[in-house]
Amino acid sequence: VVFLAESGGGSVQPGGSLKLSCARSGDRYYSVCMAWFRQAHGKEREGVASIDAEGFTMYADSVKGRFTISKDNAKDILYLQMDSLKSEDTATYFCAAVVGCLPPSQPTTLGVNEYNHWGQGTKVTVSS
């Protein structure tokens, strides 16, 4: 069992920055792949960024060059540094994980179905 708890959301003006955190707890696994998703009001959940067990990262085109995903394996914390925020980044952000994901079983897309553990989400509002 994997538990995920997001934090760091809030309100920020366009052009500002926020850093989200996701603390992972529960059973320990040899390989864990993690990702950030977001869901805006009335829209489907979409992948933002992912990082696999070996540190390989993927980003949605909409956030490339602005967002950075990273992890602290010692503390079991996933991060999402969000810079140059835009109003369209407003959404609830979710942390996700899947275990047993060493190659060739690692997620290859930012699809929702690639992950089976989810946090409760943290809300990000970008508005002037």
Side-chain angles (χ1 to χ4, degrees):
V1 177
V2 174
F3 299 100
L4 303 172
E6 304 93 336
S7 61
S11 296
V12 65
Q13 292 186 341
S17 298
L18 278 176
K19 187 173 186 177
L20 305 183
S21 299
C22 172
R24 177 168 58 87
S25 61
D27 296 330
R28 300 299 301 267
Y29 295 90
Y30 182 74
S31 64
V32 181
C33 298
M34 300 188 73
W36 288 98
F37 287 77
R38 66 186 180 187
Q39 188 166 16
H41 182 67
K43 295 187 177 181
E44 293 186 354
R45 191 169 298 188
E46 63 175 0
V48 174
S50 67
I51 185 165
D52 70 13
E54 298 181 327
F56 179 77
T57 58
M58 284 194 292
Y59 294 91
D61 288 342
S62 59
V63 307
K64 281 182 181 176
R66 300 189 298 121
F67 290 10
T68 303
I69 190 171
S70 62
K71 60 180 179 176
D72 185 328
N73 289 325
K75 296 181 179 179
D76 288 338
I77 299 178
L78 179 74
Y79 300 102
L80 184 68
Q81 176 67 45
M82 305 187 295
D83 299 318
S84 302
L85 282 161
K86 305 176 181 179
S87 58
E88 50 263 44
D89 295 319
T90 295
T92 298
Y93 284 71
F94 298 89
C95 174
V98 62
V99 302
C101 59
L102 286 176
S105 300
Q106 77 278 23
T108 56
T109 71
L110 286 170
V112 172
N113 293 334
E114 298 267 28
Y115 298 86
N116 56 7
H117 295 90
W118 294 87
Q120 293 300 307
T122 185
K123 190 171 182 180
V124 172
T125 301
V126 184
S127 174
S128 55

